[in-house]
Amino acid sequence: MAEVVLDHVYKIYPGDVTAVEDVSTTIHDKEFVVLVGPSGCGKSTTLRMVAGLEEISQGTISINGKVVNDVAPKDRDIAMVFQNYALYPHMSVRDNMAFGLKLRKFTKQEIDTRVNEAAEILELTPLLDRKPKALSGGQRQRVALGRAIVRKPEVFLFDEPLSNLDAKLRNQMRAEILRLHKRLDATIIYVTHDQVEAMTMGTRIVVMKDGLVQQIDAPIDLYDRPNNHFVAGFIGSPTMNFVTGTIEADEFKGGGVQFKLTDAQKNSGAKGEVIMGIRPEDLALGDPSNGDGTVSGTVDIAEPLGAETYLHVLVGAGKLIARVEPSNDLDTGAEAKLHFKPKKTHLFDPETSQVLR
Amino acid sequence: MVKNKWPTRILIYAILLVFVLIAVYPVIRVASISLRPGDRLLSTSLALIPPDATLDNFRILFTERPFLRWVLNSTIVSFAVTLFGVALASTAGYIISRYKFVGRTTAMLSILTTQMFPATMLLLPMYIIISRLNLINTYVGLIVVYSATALPFCVWTMKGFYDTIPSSLEEAAMIDGCNRFQAFYKVVFPLASPALVITGLFSFISSWSEYLVAAQVLQDPVMYTLPLGLKQFQQSMSTEWGLYAAGALVVSIPVIGLFLFANRWLVGGLTLGGVKE
């Protein structure tokens, strides 16, 4: 079925600006792949090259085994949902959805069936005769979804489809898109800058930065085993804590943090100056058990969220965030003693920012 | 909106009324003159409709003078110019708005620069070109000159309007199954209707009421457009003011009609709602 292969794909703009550099990956049939990264990382450009809206400077993209570098967007059997919806303002909801089918010369009966079906799924039936301007943001985005699904394409492309919606609607639509993915059994490539969207939606995530792929993995692997300093910091909220220190005699020391390296870390060849990373939820209050790493500092602020509290702790020259139980009475200025399991730490080479393991 | 108290409103209406009177008075004068028998331009009577009002001037205009022929000439020329103006400006403006190509900025600036020269300055070179092309006394000659003078404004208007239409609409259309040209005429073109109407009206009116160029290009009275024709009523010894006024009224009717007709497309905000700004 629909498999999308990117093979050493480059996008180089005039003036030698490289927007996308050597991206290679295979998106399998029925997979939900999320391209994520900060703005300007090349994720949208990559998607637009798959769509055929940008020329491919080097490398090949193939859909279903067929190289599509020189195939027009309309002949690639893809559908795309845009960030700004891109609905045709002069057409009704029905005509917006039917537009692609009419151009493809479907029978009127087939068009009606498909449009009505999609409207049913997306709860747009009462709105079919309205113009886009008479719809709310969420409804417009559903119409854009409808326009994509009536086509029954091989591949769906989503370009930050939820970033114009408010938080509540975004959660709702996120679930809706996931349901659609299950229902349609389609291959989806989804671009977002929001790592929460990436984590919750993707079966696999491609993290990009400055046009380069940083890591391609399943969400949980990305979270637990980041390849480098950037991925570690980008995925997760609050972000991972980083402390620079040195390793001497198999022990890390720096910024008020110290712990004995695990066997795996010893074997990784980590020595001299390194960056240590630890996730907020891996820091705990209370008495350390044997072999735990420790860190102590003063509380800067405490953010109680109800179910948990984010403790901002000043240590050495920097600050750590710990995600702790809500029932603690630590407040600004108090002394905080934190401990953690050494195996939960990540070590990064400060020069290459690659992980040491 | 804040509701004004009635004294303020009366004042506003009074001021507006003064301006309306200033604008409308000449038209009323012309209408009044057209109804007077003979050539009584300088009557001291203040009556809007003279006591001996007659439609004779209109009858003479249509039956005893080649007025209808002039109407035909003007119509042919104006419609051709409008058609050219809209067709060329809508496509040229689109290319300039959407594509980056070598010489794009230069092209845009040179289009703009042509607008700096007053029309009278261009009369002589234009006359020489038209006469060398053997286009004196032809519709084509007039159409070429009018289109050339109207196009710069039209191209810029269209370009400016296209710039406000997000390109994601065409991209969506192209993914939906359009080629580039279909995306243009099925999606962008209908959305550009306010700008199309403006360029159309501009082209039409500028050629419908143009006198100076027409006076150079057209020398045979059979080919005269309306402004030239009307001028014929004004001769060295006497001027047929009644006919002149009647003609002037008739000439302005299509323009007014066109404006009323085009009004509904001039309302902006047609692109509202298609994309999130």
Side-chain angles (χ1 to χ4, degrees):
Chain A
M1 285 273 299
E3 190 181 66
V4 181
V5 181
L6 286 83
D7 188 22
H8 298 288
V9 171
Y10 282 77
K11 177 71 196 183
I12 301 160
Y13 285 108
D16 249 4
V17 183
T18 308
V20 173
E21 199 175 333
D22 199 18
V23 173
S24 291
T25 184
T26 300
I27 293 144
H28 304 288
D29 185 32
K30 295 173 191 173
E31 203 175 15
F32 194 130
V33 169
V34 179
L35 305 182
V36 69
S39 42
C41 72
K43 55 190 192 299
S44 276
T45 311
T46 307
L47 188 79
R48 290 168 60 83
M49 284 193 283
V50 176
L53 299 172
E54 297 275 353
E55 272 178 44
I56 301 159
S57 309
Q58 260 180 61
T60 56
I61 292 179
S62 27
I63 299 175
N64 265 346
K66 185 183 156 205
V67 174
V68 294
N69 284 35
D70 296 319
V71 176
K74 69 188 175 82
D75 301 321
R76 293 191 181 194
D77 202 9
I78 48 163
M80 184 158 166
V81 178
F82 292 82
Q83 177 177 0
N84 63 6
Y85 321 138
L87 300 179
Y88 313 122
H90 55 305
M91 298 181 198
S92 66
V93 169
R94 182 188 299 280
D95 290 339
N96 261 285
M97 295 209 273
F99 187 66
L101 301 176
K102 279 183 190 156
L103 284 166
R104 287 183 161 74
K105 307 260 189 290
F106 280 74
T107 61
K108 193 167 178 318
Q109 200 184 355
E110 175 70 14
I111 293 175
D112 282 348
T113 319
R114 288 199 186 190
V115 169
N116 290 336
E117 189 185 270
E120 191 87 3
I121 297 174
L122 296 164
E123 292 165 31
L124 289 169
T125 313
L127 309 173
L128 277 175
D129 294 315
R130 291 213 195 154
K131 291 268 172 70
K133 69 175 166 207
L135 301 178
S136 71
Q139 291 168 336
R140 286 179 202 174
Q141 195 53 282
R142 289 219 298 277
V143 176
L145 276 179
R147 188 171 63 183
I149 64 177
V150 290
R151 294 251 321 276
K152 300 187 178 163
E154 294 277 10
V155 184
F156 285 92
L157 308 176
F158 288 85
D159 189 6
E160 308 218 16
L162 305 184
S163 33
N164 279 340
L165 302 176
D166 62 52
K168 190 173 163 224
L169 214 49
R170 203 177 307 163
N171 289 342
Q172 228 173 330
M173 289 297 291
R174 215 159 63 194
E176 203 148 332
I177 292 174
L178 279 176
R179 265 202 302 278
L180 269 179
H181 176 232
K182 294 229 162 63
R183 185 177 177 137
L184 300 171
D185 256 350
T187 308
I188 293 182
I189 308 178
Y190 188 106
V191 163
T192 180
H193 63 267
D194 181 353
Q195 51 98 8
V196 177
E197 255 171 55
M199 290 293 286
T200 52
M201 300 179 86
T203 44
R204 245 176 354 135
I205 299 177
V206 179
V207 184
M208 291 183 76
K209 184 196 166 210
D210 299 335
L212 286 161
V213 170
Q214 304 292 311
Q215 188 170 355
I216 305 178
D217 253 320
I220 210 68
D221 294 332
L222 217 53
Y223 191 80
D224 288 341
R225 299 173 62 80
N227 269 350
N228 60 37
H229 185 249
F230 172 78
V231 175
F234 189 78
I235 301 289
S237 172
T239 71
M240 188 184 275
N241 297 297
F242 295 107
V243 178
T244 311
T246 46
I247 293 174
E248 268 171 52
D250 291 341
E251 190 172 10
F252 176 95
K253 267 188 195 161
V257 178
Q258 62 175 30
F259 67 94
K260 287 226 177 294
L261 300 194
T262 62
D263 291 343
Q265 284 170 335
K266 280 179 208 162
N267 295 335
S268 70
K271 59 174 190 285
E273 191 168 305
V274 293
I275 298 170
M276 184 279 278
I278 184 146
R279 297 222 176 260
E281 66 269 26
D282 294 329
L283 289 168
L285 286 167
D287 295 327
S289 48
N290 200 19
D292 277 3
T294 57
V295 52
S296 51
T298 44
V299 175
D300 184 19
I301 40 167
E303 294 181 300
L305 295 179
E308 61 204 8
T309 297
Y310 295 160
L311 221 50
H312 297 242
V313 183
L314 295 169
V315 290
K319 189 160 89 171
L320 297 179
I321 298 177
R323 194 166 172 173
V324 297
E325 292 287 308
S327 60
N328 73 78
D329 47 8
L330 291 173
D331 208 344
T332 306
E335 189 80 7
K337 279 187 189 314
L338 298 162
H339 62 94
F340 56 89
K341 300 274 179 238
K343 66 171 183 185
K344 292 289 186 183
T345 62
H346 308 261
L347 295 179
F348 302 98
D349 185 325
E351 304 250 308
T352 64
S353 31
Q354 293 303 308
V355 75
L356 299 162
R357 68 177 167 227
Chain B
M1 207 171 75
V2 184
K3 271 241 162 103
N4 288 314
K5 294 225 168 61
W6 64 267
T8 331
R9 287 173 72 166
I10 288 178
L11 188 71
I12 291 172
Y13 279 101
I15 294 171
L16 288 177
L17 211 61
V18 172
F19 283 110
V20 170
L21 279 179
I22 294 172
V24 169
Y25 178 73
V27 182
I28 295 174
R29 265 302 274 209
V30 172
S32 166
I33 294 167
S34 73
L35 295 175
R36 289 176 200 162
D39 303 324
R40 292 195 340 228
L41 171 68
L42 299 169
S43 156
T44 50
S45 153
L46 285 177
L48 285 182
I49 299 172
D52 46 357
T54 162
L55 290 174
D56 261 5
N57 285 323
F58 292 90
R59 187 184 51 78
I60 297 170
L61 193 66
F62 282 105
T63 54
E64 293 171 25
R65 303 298 164 99
F67 187 74
L68 283 175
R69 171 75 203 197
W70 301 336
V71 170
L72 179 73
N73 292 342
S74 268
T75 309
I76 289 172
V77 171
S78 299
F79 271 98
V81 171
T82 309
L83 215 64
F84 272 119
V86 171
L88 293 178
S90 62
T91 42
Y94 183 72
I95 299 296
I96 291 174
S97 166
R98 288 297 193 261
Y99 287 90
K100 291 216 160 41
F101 51 88
V102 181
R104 175 173 173 269
T105 319
T106 323
M108 277 164 62
L109 287 179
S110 40
I111 289 174
L112 196 65
T113 314
T114 59
Q115 297 292 283
M116 283 167 37
F117 302 104
T120 31
M121 211 183 106
L122 299 173
L123 269 184
L124 185 65
M126 179 218 73
Y127 180 81
I128 294 171
I129 294 170
I130 294 297
S131 75
R132 294 237 171 113
L133 289 172
N134 277 330
L135 292 175
I136 295 294
N137 253 331
T138 60
Y139 293 138
V140 178
L142 212 52
I143 291 167
V144 166
V145 178
Y146 286 167
S147 301
T149 38
L151 264 175
F153 172 81
C154 297
V155 170
W156 270 85
T157 310
M158 291 309 302
K159 183 224 170 255
F161 197 85
Y162 288 136
D163 285 349
T164 68
I165 299 177
S167 48
S168 60
L169 286 181
E170 293 132 88
E171 291 173 352
M174 285 196 283
I175 287 174
D176 260 349
C178 290
N179 57 38
R180 183 97 215 182
F181 187 68
Q182 283 174 317
F184 170 66
Y185 85 78
K186 277 182 194 275
V187 173
V188 176
F189 199 69
L191 292 177
S193 55
L196 291 172
V197 168
I198 288 174
T199 52
L201 273 182
F202 178 81
S203 307
F204 185 88
I205 291 167
S206 62
S207 42
W208 184 257
S209 58
E210 206 285 333
Y211 173 78
L212 209 55
V213 172
Q216 316 308 313
V217 176
L218 305 176
Q219 281 148 12
D220 180 354
V222 178
M223 294 299 292
Y224 276 7
T225 52
L226 283 165
L228 283 188
L230 289 186
K231 189 76 166 59
Q232 271 223 316
F233 296 137
Q234 189 184 1
Q235 279 141 10
S236 52
M237 291 301 158
S238 70
T239 300
E240 295 165 289
W241 287 116
L243 283 180
Y244 208 145
L249 275 188
V250 175
V251 167
S252 59
I253 287 170
V255 179
I256 295 169
L258 215 59
F259 255 107
L260 293 178
F261 173 72
N263 206 7
R264 55 181 153 150
W265 285 289
L266 285 173
V267 188
L270 200 69
T271 52
L272 209 73
V275 300
K276 173 103 177 187
E277 278 88 21

